[in-house]
Amino acid sequence: MSAYSMLSERIAMAKELIKRAESLSRSKKGGIEGGAKLCSKLKSELKFLQKIESGKVAIKESHLQSTNLTHLKAIVESAENLEEVVSVLRVFGYTDSLGEKQTLVVDVVANGGHTWVKAIGRKAEALHNIWLGRGQYGDKSIIEQAEDFLQASRQQPVQYSNPHIVFAFYNSVSSPMADKLKDMGISVRGDIVAVNSLLNHPEEYLLSESESDDEGQELLQVTRVDLDNVLARVAFPTEIKVDVCRRVNLDITTLITYVSAMSYGGCHFIFKEKVLTEQAEQERKERVLPQLEAFMKDKELFACESAVKDFQSILDTLGGPGERERAAVLIKRINVVPDQPSERALKLVASSKINSRSLTIFGTGDTLKAITMTANSGFVRAANNQGVKFSVFIHQPRALTESKEALAVPLPKARTNDSAH
């Protein structure tokens, strides 16, 4: 293929990938974190290729072959083939085995955070040669990168489970490398190709003793990738086993939302308080209770003593008869446990968003290894900013409103019917 044909092909590919990346970003309500960054990278590639096309940059085949498009295409294709994609090109911080602070870019975070994907566009021959020490100085082998991913994932649990790692190969992978990755606990997606021994003058290719020590005896058998011999074609794992956390810790905001009259149809009012009118409008658009019930289903419910005591106090002051009745039923379903905030929760520095009550509630959930249900997103963000990431299920808040209905203005029937649940 001529350089000009290759250029036209690359430009067409870049334009198509931009459309697909933009569509991907729109596929999730609120967008996909990093989606704009992915689109920006693709547009930069297109801009560079168009400069070559216009003659502003001299055309070189090396420029066209070394383009980032292959890797970016692999990211887009991976994201399109996975469920519940939450982010792309996500940067995670972690501490390496020497205690040094490092960062790692995960190409696609999917399955609600439980799956990390590295998308690899490089050719199987190049990857295999780097692994055998035949790459350029400074090249990091896929196996070394896999070790980094494992190290980082252990420090970024999602709902108390380490993310599952998938290496997705879009230009094949050699069978010894695939086997090594599987032994490390990493799933492989892509064509797995055979390798042949180099029988002619193998001594020219042998690694030195120091180079081969860490890689194991199998590397002493010098091999070359045989692209024509595809041993297996492996798709993305469809059912990645995730240890679903079955424990739920209820924050005061969730207890209130669960029993609020607003959550049971009392949202067709204009209240005296602006915040309640806004919540009612939100409730008419999107009900919260079904979301809470779906998440709580088949799970063990917990709440700490402080949360229940304060909830009861708020209920005694502001709750209506229906809200109090629902609260009594809910409390019977909950395991009420002593306050037991975790060590890392106690290390948080108090601020306008981090008070002792929230610290106790979220910290107890952390100790119980439970997911804390909450409408208090401010605390979650503030704790995250201090490096403490809690496992949470965040929902919209609903206040106790039954006693406020008498002074509220009912919505006209037509508007009520238009926005009925």
Side-chain angles (χ1 to χ4, degrees):
M1 184 187 290
S2 73
Y4 284 101
S5 299
M6 193 185 290
L7 176 62
S8 298
E9 190 184 82
R10 291 281 193 274
I11 288 172
M13 184 200 292
K15 287 177 178 176
E16 184 216 350
L17 287 172
I18 289 167
K19 283 182 187 173
R20 286 163 66 184
E22 287 172 343
S23 171
L24 198 63
S25 294
R26 291 192 300 267
S27 65
K28 184 188 171 194
K29 187 181 175 183
I32 289 172
E33 185 188 345
K37 190 198 295 185
L38 177 60
C39 290
S40 176
K41 282 180 177 285
L42 284 163
K43 284 170 184 173
S44 294
E45 288 295 316
L46 178 60
K47 195 175 178 182
F48 175 69
L49 292 169
Q50 286 172 333
K51 276 185 180 177
I52 297 174
E53 187 183 38
S54 66
K56 288 178 184 175
V57 177
I59 189 164
K60 285 185 183 176
E61 205 166 309
S62 59
H63 279 162
L64 301 177
Q65 286 174 339
S66 64
T67 176
N68 291 322
L69 275 183
T70 311
H71 178 228
L72 296 172
K73 183 184 180 187
I75 294 173
V76 171
E77 290 193 0
S78 295
E80 288 173 339
N81 282 284
L82 290 158
E83 299 292 323
E84 285 186 86
V85 173
V86 293
S87 56
V88 291
L89 298 170
R90 174 83 183 274
V91 179
F92 289 95
Y94 72 101
T95 305
D96 67 17
S97 52
L98 300 173
E100 299 285 328
K101 297 279 185 189
Q102 304 289 352
T103 57
L104 178 91
V105 178
V106 177
D107 292 327
V108 183
V109 180
N111 295 328
H114 288 285
T115 304
W116 284 9
V117 177
K118 179 172 177 60
I120 300 145
R122 290 192 78 172
K123 292 179 180 176
E125 306 98 308
L127 298 173
H128 190 74
N129 287 338
I130 291 166
W131 184 42
L132 294 178
R134 298 185 213 138
Q136 294 179 346
Y137 178 76
D139 276 341
K140 205 170 193 178
S141 79
I142 285 294
I143 304 305
E144 289 170 314
Q145 292 177 55
E147 286 163 355
D148 293 342
F149 265 72
L150 289 168
Q151 183 85 355
S153 70
R154 291 184 197 112
Q155 295 169 39
Q156 299 286 345
V158 177
Q159 295 179 6
Y160 308 101
S161 295
N162 297 336
H164 180 80
I165 301 165
V166 181
F167 274 27
F169 294 89
Y170 285 86
N171 267 309
S172 305
V173 59
S174 68
S175 58
M177 283 181 67
D179 290 342
K180 178 72 176 171
L181 288 168
K182 288 173 195 169
D183 289 345
M184 294 168 78
I186 290 174
S187 293
V188 169
R189 175 264 173 228
D191 288 357
I192 298 172
V193 294
V195 293
N196 297 328
S197 294
L198 296 170
L199 300 177
N200 297 330
H201 311 293
E203 66 280 356
E204 292 177 18
Y205 299 95
L206 279 172
L207 302 175
S208 69
E209 193 176 328
S210 62
E211 287 173 319
S212 61
D213 277 351
D214 294 338
E215 299 290 5
Q217 285 298 110
E218 67 269 25
L219 293 195
L220 293 174
Q221 181 187 0
V222 182
T223 52
R224 178 180 285 149
V225 170
D226 181 0
L227 289 173
D228 294 327
N229 189 356
V230 178
L231 301 176
R233 287 197 160 96
V234 186
F236 275 110
T238 49
E239 288 184 16
I240 292 168
K241 285 184 181 176
V242 173
D243 295 326
V244 177
C245 182
R246 293 289 173 195
R247 290 182 155 204
V248 169
N249 175 47
L250 304 177
D251 176 31
I252 298 168
T253 55
T254 302
L255 294 169
I256 291 171
T257 300
Y258 194 89
V259 303
S260 166
M262 198 182 285
S263 301
Y264 291 83
C267 57
H268 303 288
F269 293 94
I270 296 171
F271 293 93
K272 277 193 163 187
E273 299 83 354
K274 187 185 174 187
V275 66
L276 299 185
T277 300
E278 287 171 351
Q279 286 187 11
E281 191 179 347
Q282 288 169 352
E283 177 67 16
R284 291 194 298 274
K285 287 177 183 171
E286 185 177 23
R287 294 190 66 199
V288 169
L289 187 64
Q291 297 169 36
L292 303 187
E293 288 180 327
F295 190 76
M296 290 158 70
K297 190 181 178 187
D298 300 329
K299 293 187 176 81
E300 201 175 359
L301 306 181
F302 293 87
C304 68
E305 288 172 349
S306 284
V308 173
K309 183 184 171 187
D310 287 356
F311 169 57
Q312 208 69 59
S313 174
I314 294 166
L315 203 63
D316 291 344
T317 309
L318 300 171
E323 289 168 337
R324 291 179 192 181
E325 196 178 309
R326 285 189 289 273
V329 174
L330 176 60
I331 294 296
K332 285 178 184 173
R333 293 173 56 195
I334 297 169
N335 297 300
V336 180
V337 296
D339 298 349
Q340 44 193 309
S342 61
E343 249 182 77
R344 67 194 195 116
L346 292 169
K347 287 177 183 172
L348 288 168
V349 178
S351 68
S352 60
K353 298 288 185 186
I354 296 177
N355 58 39
S356 59
R357 184 174 74 175
S358 295
L359 193 149
T360 300
I361 293 168
F362 283 83
T364 298
D366 202 34
T367 298
L368 294 169
K369 290 197 177 338
I371 300 163
T372 298
M373 293 181 76
T374 183
N376 188 356
S377 55
F379 173 87
V380 176
R381 278 195 304 272
N384 208 6
N385 290 340
Q386 289 190 33
V388 179
K389 190 175 181 181
F390 291 103
S391 286
V392 292
F393 174 90
I394 297 175
H395 59 86
Q396 286 187 350
R398 299 289 182 261
L400 298 175
T401 54
E402 191 175 5
S403 61
K404 308 274 186 183
E405 289 177 5
L407 297 173
V409 178
L411 284 173
K413 277 275 169 70
R415 283 181 67 184
T416 301
N417 293 337
D418 287 346
S419 55
H421 295 328

